[in-house]
């Protein structure tokens, strides 16, 4: 088993072998989560604090459940109500929490790089639950696990990531992971929603959905991130749906057994047709949510093992 990380800040620093280690362990947690007892003591005696400076439904619930199923003491900080509102800086808050001896800090923050900065100030393991447009590593890992279980492999697949790439940390983490695992990645969307310097990512870019989806194995749709836009990116939601919304007609260009994914929350009728999203023969959106809990259990378990090992050797600072 190879996993040498002290934190999980992004996909970028991970070696493919470390990605496989997380996914293999997550497979065992899927089985545990489907059993009547759903409990292990991998994190027994440990304290996990969730700090979400941005709204979250799925990710926060998933991390909370993951920690509880592994026997940790889990605390959710209500960041909206905390001292942050009174002007305390991120670092001061982190140092205050650090003094309470948490073992795992799960952090979501609207600014890219904020979680990394925080990880340098505390002496526990930090997990990035999404920082600005930068990374959302557990989302990419849960997507990878979903793909691997549905397709039987995680290499040499044709994968289309569609829609609002520019504002999406989900897209960025997925591109990094799927590239490391040697897949062929297509980015499909309007030029206004493509990040600059995209050619460095080793991807093919399409602005036509039908061309972009032709013969792909996986169709990954992204939410149109209106909160990160300041106007002018799309003519109208209706026009966007017409050109880039995933409906049965456009999906027919993909392989017959292509799976449909979406990280949530969905804008039905904007980037995806509700019927496609609910079609259990094509959509794996509910599986993604299930895999999310297992992947977060695996990631926290592995980080906790490294934390204990480092503690035993006296090298953890
Ligand atoms: N839930 C994902 C994120 O936090 C995707 C999204 O919000 O569209 O980035």
């Amino acid at each position: 088993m190879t996993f040498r990380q002290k934190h999980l800040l992004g996909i970028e620093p991970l070696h493919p072998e470390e990605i496989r280690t997380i996914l293999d362990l997550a497979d065992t947690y899927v089985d545990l989560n489907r059993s009547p007892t759903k409990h292990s003591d991998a994190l027994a005696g440990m304290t996990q604090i969730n700090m979400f400076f941005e709204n979250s439904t799925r990710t926060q619930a998933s991390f909370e459940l993951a920690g509880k199923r592994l026997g940790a003491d889990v605390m959710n900080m209500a960041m909206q109500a905390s001292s942050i509102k009174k002007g305390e800086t991120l670092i001061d808050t982190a140092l205050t929490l650090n003094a309470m001896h948490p073992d795992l800090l799960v952090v979501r923050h609207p600014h890219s790089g904020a979680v990394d900065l925080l990880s340098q100030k505390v002496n526990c393991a930090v997990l990035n639950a999404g920082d600005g447009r930068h990374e959302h590593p557990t989302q990419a890992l849960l997507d990878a696990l979903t793909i691997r279980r549905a397709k039987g492999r995680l290499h040499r697949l044709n994968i289309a990531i569609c829609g609002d790439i520019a504002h999406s940390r989900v897209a960025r983490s997925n591109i990094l992971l799927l590239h490391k695992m040697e897949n062929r990645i297509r980015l499909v969307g309007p030029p206004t929603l493509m990040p600059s310097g995209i050619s460095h990512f080793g991807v093919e870019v399409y602005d036509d959905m039908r061309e972009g989806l032709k013969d792909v194995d996986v169709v990954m749709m992204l939410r149109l991130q209106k909160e990160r836009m300041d106007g002018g990116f799309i003519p109208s939601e209706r026009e966007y749906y017409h050109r880039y919304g995933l409906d049965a007609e456009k999906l027919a260009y993909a392989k017959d057994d292509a799976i449909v994914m979406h990280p949530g929350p969905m804008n039905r009728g904007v980037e995806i047709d509700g019927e496609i999203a609910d079609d259990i023969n094509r959509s794996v959106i509910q599986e993604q949510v299930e895999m999310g809990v297992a992947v977060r259990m695996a990631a926290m378990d592995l980080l906790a093992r490294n934390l204990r090992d480092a503690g035993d050797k006296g090298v953890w600072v």
Side-chain angles (χ1 to χ4, degrees):
M1 241 192 193
T2 319
F3 188 79
R4 296 188 212 291
Q5 307 291 321
K6 181 171 168 181
H7 307 293
L8 181 63
L9 300 175
I11 297 298
E12 197 151 25
L14 298 184
H15 189 274
E17 202 46 53
E18 294 180 304
I19 294 171
R20 272 188 281 272
T21 298
I22 299 174
L23 300 186
D24 291 348
L25 184 59
D27 268 329
T28 70
Y29 282 128
V30 174
D31 295 339
L32 181 76
N33 289 338
R34 288 181 182 177
S35 74
T37 313
K38 302 179 189 53
H39 219 273
S40 120
D41 56 6
L43 300 184
M46 292 194 147
T47 301
Q48 172 192 336
I49 301 182
N50 298 335
M51 298 165 76
F52 279 67
F53 295 89
E54 233 185 35
N55 290 342
S56 166
T57 316
R58 239 163 304 266
T59 307
Q60 184 166 348
S62 181
F63 266 113
E64 183 176 351
L65 206 52
K68 286 183 171 162
R69 286 192 178 160
L70 295 180
D73 294 316
V74 185
M75 184 175 88
N76 288 311
M77 288 284 293
M79 297 319 297
Q80 310 295 345
S82 80
S83 300
I84 290 285
K85 284 270 175 230
K86 299 181 197 153
E88 191 174 83
T89 67
L90 169 69
I91 300 304
D92 283 338
T93 308
L95 292 177
T96 304
L97 289 176
N98 192 48
M100 299 178 193
H101 298 288
D103 302 285
L104 297 147
L105 268 185
V106 179
V107 187
R108 169 171 287 191
H109 199 277
H111 295 139
S112 304
V115 184
D116 199 327
L117 183 70
L118 187 142
S119 73
Q120 296 164 30
K121 310 284 177 190
V122 296
N123 47 13
C124 59
V126 176
L127 292 100
N128 181 0
D131 64 326
R133 302 175 188 193
H134 178 231
E135 281 233 37
H136 191 353
T138 55
Q139 177 72 47
L141 288 161
L142 75 88
D143 289 340
L145 185 62
T146 308
I147 295 171
R148 193 172 83 165
R149 290 172 69 100
K151 294 282 151 203
R153 66 181 201 275
L154 188 59
H155 60 276
R156 296 213 192 133
L157 291 166
N158 285 317
I159 301 173
I161 305 178
C162 311
D164 185 359
I165 318 276
H167 300 101
S168 177
R169 54 194 175 209
V170 173
R172 199 164 178 284
S173 290
N174 263 303
I175 293 166
L176 291 166
L177 189 153
L178 296 168
H179 191 63
K180 279 179 201 270
M181 305 316 272
E182 296 176 11
N183 294 283
R184 210 159 144 194
I185 306 165
R186 301 180 186 180
L187 302 185
V188 191
T192 47
L193 294 177
M194 284 294 158
S196 53
I198 197 67
S199 51
H200 299 304
F201 285 97
V203 294
E204 296 163 34
V205 178
Y206 293 84
D207 69 1
D208 182 277
M209 273 292 262
R210 292 167 187 84
E211 273 175 43
L213 294 191
K214 194 155 186 326
D215 295 331
V216 298
D217 300 287
V218 177
V219 182
M220 191 182 283
M221 300 307 299
L222 298 171
R223 182 172 67 89
L224 198 60
Q225 304 221 340
K226 294 176 234 170
E227 78 279 17
R228 295 196 205 281
M229 296 183 188
D230 36 26
F233 288 92
I234 56 163
S236 70
E237 286 185 5
R238 224 174 126 212
E239 174 70 12
Y240 183 80
Y241 181 66
H242 177 64
R243 294 199 56 187
Y244 297 102
L246 186 68
D247 56 16
E249 188 268 323
K250 296 188 194 86
L251 181 58
Y253 285 82
K255 282 193 185 150
D256 290 343
D257 62 351
I259 54 169
V260 174
M261 308 178 74
H262 193 300
M266 274 184 279
N267 294 307
R268 289 171 184 258
V270 179
E271 68 263 356
I272 191 165
D273 170 27
E275 276 185 31
I276 297 281
D278 298 334
D279 179 352
I280 53 166
N281 295 316
R282 305 307 295 269
S283 162
V284 293
I285 296 171
Q286 295 309 320
E287 279 85 342
Q288 287 174 271
V289 178
E290 181 185 5
M291 295 310 125
V293 180
V295 148
R296 289 172 179 122
M297 290 167 83
M300 290 198 289
D301 180 352
L302 290 164
L303 288 170
R305 292 183 203 190
N306 288 353
L307 193 59
R308 282 195 207 95
D309 281 356
D312 290 347
K313 293 185 199 120
V315 293
W316 196 262
V317 281

